[in-house]
Amino acid sequence: MSRNQIQTQIQIRPAAATDSEAMWTIFDAVIGAGESYPFAPGTSRAACADYWFNPRSTSFVAVAGDERVLGMYKLVPNQMDLGAHVANASYMVSPAEQGAGVGTLLGRHSLEEARRQGYLAMQFNYVISSNLAAVALWKKLGFAIIGTLPKSFRHARLGYVDAYVMYQLLSDPAGWPAPLLR
């Protein structure tokens, strides 16, 4: 199947408790590699559940036609109170599905969802510089690198590597109403 055919069969929907096992499997595989998230390999299921299902976040899953979870993202305020108008998001795609466009679909969906929820901007606080696919995707979707955190991530294979702060305005702030505190 072509990449476009695969993408048209993928649906993105809110994550449910019934997705927990599949989300855990993806989480465990991604963090086990030690290449893109600061979680230590062996992080518990409870920590995974708290990360994806907490009161501040809205989580979504990308599912194939058979409801198999291919990846997920969560959307949260980047800061509390006076910084809550800026979103933050985290994404994970099953290693078996990487390169099929799932991350692109999740990224686009998250930007639409952030706008729908009334966020003014989105900021990624910790994009690992050696995760070239992620950096390229976020640039393609309109993010700019606004800062570099030198040697701030201890990569499992490469040792200490930089992380980027990436940012995108989602709406023109001129005349933007004061956001509701979240």
Side-chain angles (χ1 to χ4, degrees):
M1 250 189 276
S2 75
R3 183 177 174 143
N4 286 340
Q5 288 172 315
I6 291 169
Q7 288 184 4
T8 59
Q9 296 177 1
I10 296 172
Q11 299 296 315
I12 299 176
R13 61 166 173 75
T18 55
D19 299 316
S20 294
E21 184 63 29
M23 292 172 75
W24 161 252
T25 300
I26 293 169
F27 179 88
D28 192 47
V30 169
I31 65 161
E35 297 180 354
S36 58
Y37 268 82
F39 291 100
T43 296
S44 72
R45 283 178 186 255
C48 170
D50 185 55
Y51 186 71
W52 294 100
F53 295 102
N54 67 67
R56 290 188 59 210
S57 66
T58 309
S59 294
F60 293 84
V61 290
V63 295
D66 60 2
E67 284 295 304
R68 180 173 36 97
V69 176
L70 309 173
M72 62 258 199
Y73 80 87
K74 76 173 198 166
L75 194 61
V76 298
N78 193 52
Q79 298 293 327
M80 58 189 272
D81 299 336
L82 301 180
H85 60 285
V86 176
N88 179 273
S90 298
Y91 309 79
M92 287 189 179
V93 174
S94 169
E97 303 299 333
Q98 291 176 357
V102 176
T104 300
L105 292 173
L106 290 169
R108 287 185 179 138
H109 189 276
S110 69
L111 291 168
E112 291 168 13
E113 182 65 19
R115 286 183 184 97
R116 190 190 70 72
Q117 289 187 25
Y119 287 105
L120 176 67
M122 188 178 291
Q123 178 174 320
F124 300 146
N125 299 321
Y126 206 68
V127 180
I128 308 308
S129 64
S130 58
N131 188 348
L132 301 178
V135 172
L137 172 60
W138 303 136
K139 285 181 174 181
K140 180 175 95 173
L141 293 181
F143 286 84
I145 295 171
I146 61 166
T148 300
L149 308 169
K151 308 293 182 206
S152 64
F153 181 72
R154 193 176 34 163
H155 193 282
R157 290 181 302 104
L158 304 175
Y160 295 104
V161 298
D162 298 347
Y164 298 135
V165 177
M166 300 185 79
Y167 191 85
Q168 179 181 161
L169 274 174
L170 302 175
S171 182
D172 182 355
W176 188 262
L180 298 174
L181 296 179
R182 296 179 194 272

